Amino acid sequence: MHTPVPDHLLDVLDQCSLDDGEVAGYIPELARVDPAQLAVALCTLDGTVHSAGDAEARFTIQSISKPFVYALALAEHGTAAVLEHVGVEPSGNAFNEISLDPLGRPRNPMINIGAITTTSLASIDPDQRWQRIHSGLSAFAGRELEVDESVYRSELEISSRNMSLAYMVKAHDRLEGDPDRVVADYVRQCALVVDVRDLAVMAMTLANQGRNPITGEEVVPAAICRQVLSVMMTCGMYDAAGDWMSNVGFPAKSGVSGCIMGALPGQVGIGVFSPRLDRFGNSVRGVRVCERLSADMGLHLMQAPEAASHVLHSLGDTPETDKDGDGVRQMQLQGSLHFAASEAALRELARIPEDDTIIEIDLDRVTAINSVGKRMLREGVRRLRLDGHEVRVLDGQQHLGGQDQ
């Protein structure tokens, strides 16, 4: 059978493909992109990536670079030192506003004035700053990222407002180094090229306590990820952060190229791309896609499932055979079946070849299963039967409501 997750992603894209919103026309290079592009990717704890739509489309990372450079600054200087330069409170203002707290600090690192400040802190040595940013974000993605030089030049030509923000912070003694050089590095970090798979892996690295799920490298310590995700949760979607928390409910960051990155700790990293923006500078269709994924897959932090050990207790052939001599393969599941656990179980089922083997799914060790887990497991059973397998579900605690027995 094929795991149903990619099919569901395609269905979500179909349901979220309305054409309202406008591309970021104030940046000449971004104004020329195809506004019809739409893509989504999910990355799991073990590095499996599911994607749908225009997943090969490349775009510049823009403001999604901000949480990762913030993480690098925290790793370089420590939380206390970074907090002396930039706060963590939501600003309630647009992303490019002059927003300083009573101490003269930018209010948070997710708006431009705060992100420029954290760029200045990415390396103690200004001559090594860009190299540190480039190598750090590449480590989060699990591959070397490139700069779109045309976007870089285009944005640098219209960077007078960002330059004024940098000089404002410098006047309050919160910016390290030369403002012109810091802004150039900031604009260059925003011009790094990614796709939705990269965003999903980068998000999963944050959600995986700083360890890249594909390379296995610890990019930053777990405590830094907690700090970054916390600020993303409250400030990552600018002045739409309250609506996002209510309707979607996981830490996220958007970029004016039309990308959104979301990270649910311990479960999944999400990347979405669609260039048309709403009045807050967030992707219109990207927000809709994330709302659907949160609702369909139970990803809202306020409905977090109970912690569980690995979903797979055992998998193997049993001594039993049926009257025709066909073998029986048994999968024993355990713990709590939410989206991430059920997705892992479906991938194990997808590895079973299309033959006459009887499949036995034992749920007696499962302690809880939410509605998302039920739907996913039932769909897996249905697809196995379409492949010609006899499927038996051992469900003594009636997790599936008596169905598929």
Side-chain angles (χ1 to χ4, degrees):
M1 59 162 261
H2 296 291
T3 176
V5 175
D7 293 340
H8 180 68
L9 294 179
L10 279 172
D11 180 62
V12 169
L13 295 187
D14 287 341
Q15 297 296 318
C16 298
S17 58
L18 298 177
D19 291 333
D20 48 332
E22 300 291 338
V23 299
Y26 62 93
I27 300 174
E29 287 296 318
L30 298 188
R32 290 192 278 270
V33 302
D34 177 4
Q37 295 176 102
L38 178 60
V40 62
L42 305 181
C43 181
T44 63
L45 272 170
D46 64 0
T48 298
V49 179
H50 303 285
S51 61
D54 301 308
E56 303 300 324
R58 297 291 182 93
F59 47 88
T60 50
I61 193 169
Q62 298 297 328
S63 288
I64 290 181
S65 64
K66 294 173 180 176
F68 299 104
V69 176
Y70 180 47
L72 298 178
L74 292 168
E76 185 81 357
H77 299 279
T79 302
V82 173
L83 283 172
E84 291 179 2
H85 291 77
V86 58
V88 293
E89 295 297 334
S91 69
N93 296 320
F95 66 93
N96 60 354
E97 290 295 310
I98 297 173
S99 184
L100 301 177
D101 68 14
L103 299 177
R105 303 176 303 174
R107 290 192 180 276
N108 68 72
M110 301 299 133
I111 53 177
N112 287 13
I113 192 169
I116 292 168
T117 306
T118 54
T119 293
S120 78
L121 297 169
S123 174
I124 293 174
D125 183 352
D127 293 329
Q128 298 296 317
R129 184 168 52 225
W130 168 247
Q131 181 180 349
R132 174 63 177 133
I133 292 171
H134 184 211
S135 63
L137 268 66
S138 295
F140 273 107
R143 69 176 185 88
E144 185 171 355
L145 301 178
E146 300 175 350
V147 174
D148 187 321
E149 293 293 341
S150 62
V151 172
Y152 168 65
R153 290 191 297 271
S154 177
E155 294 195 48
L156 195 60
E157 289 175 357
I158 60 167
S159 63
S160 57
R161 185 173 184 85
N162 282 334
M163 202 71 72
S164 69
L165 296 176
Y167 275 96
M168 174 69 73
V169 180
K170 185 70 173 180
H172 284 80
D173 200 27
R174 305 293 181 179
L175 189 94
E176 297 294 324
D178 174 62
D180 292 41
R181 192 171 176 184
V182 172
V183 170
D185 285 340
Y186 169 72
V187 174
R188 187 176 286 277
Q189 80 187 39
C190 292
L192 287 167
V193 178
V194 293
D195 57 32
V196 288
R197 296 186 186 94
D198 293 324
L199 292 184
V201 173
M202 296 173 83
M204 190 67 247
T205 302
L206 287 176
N208 191 32
Q209 301 186 65
R211 188 171 298 279
N212 186 295
I214 293 177
T215 66
E217 177 186 356
E218 184 182 85
V219 184
V220 292
I224 288 176
C225 293
R226 185 184 68 180
Q227 176 74 7
V228 172
L229 290 168
S230 298
V231 177
M232 283 172 58
M233 187 74 260
T234 55
C235 309
M237 301 301 283
Y238 304 127
D239 39 344
D243 286 340
W244 181 271
M245 179 59 196
S246 298
N247 298 326
V248 182
F250 51 74
K253 186 73 195 77
S254 61
V256 294
S257 58
C259 47
I260 294 178
M261 174 201 72
L264 184 62
Q267 288 204 53
V268 68
I270 299 170
V272 189
F273 172 61
S274 181
R276 296 180 186 271
L277 308 179
D278 61 22
R279 63 189 178 91
F280 301 112
N282 300 323
S283 170
V284 175
R285 291 187 291 182
V287 170
R288 290 197 189 105
V289 168
C290 290
E291 287 175 344
R292 275 290 306 272
L293 292 176
S294 178
D296 293 353
M297 298 178 177
L299 304 182
H300 199 295
L301 276 174
M302 297 302 109
Q303 59 183 57
E306 62 186 82
S309 54
H310 193 278
V311 63
L312 188 64
H313 179 263
S314 65
L315 175 66
D317 296 329
T318 71
E320 178 187 356
T321 59
D322 69 356
K323 62 182 179 181
D324 298 320
D326 295 323
V328 177
R329 171 155 291 192
Q330 185 182 70
M331 172 188 279
Q332 287 186 311
L333 302 179
Q334 65 180 1
S336 177
L337 296 188
H338 44 73
F339 166 74
S342 299
E343 186 275 336
L346 287 175
R347 274 191 284 116
E348 291 294 339
L349 294 175
R351 296 189 178 100
I352 297 173
E354 296 182 23
D355 54 25
D356 296 329
T357 305
I358 297 169
I359 309 301
E360 189 172 271
I361 302 173
D362 188 344
L363 303 182
D364 286 345
R365 294 177 180 269
V366 171
T367 57
I369 180 168
N370 66 11
S371 60
V372 176
K374 288 180 184 179
R375 291 201 308 272
M376 294 176 72
L377 194 57
R378 286 171 177 164
E379 178 64 12
V381 169
R382 186 185 74 84
R383 293 189 177 209
L384 285 171
R385 287 173 175 163
L386 288 176
D387 287 346
H389 293 285
E390 177 186 341
V391 182
R392 305 169 183 169
V393 180
L394 307 182
D395 188 13
Q397 300 184 59
Q398 299 287 296
H399 289 299
L400 296 182
Q403 298 186 27
D404 296 318
Q405 300 294 316

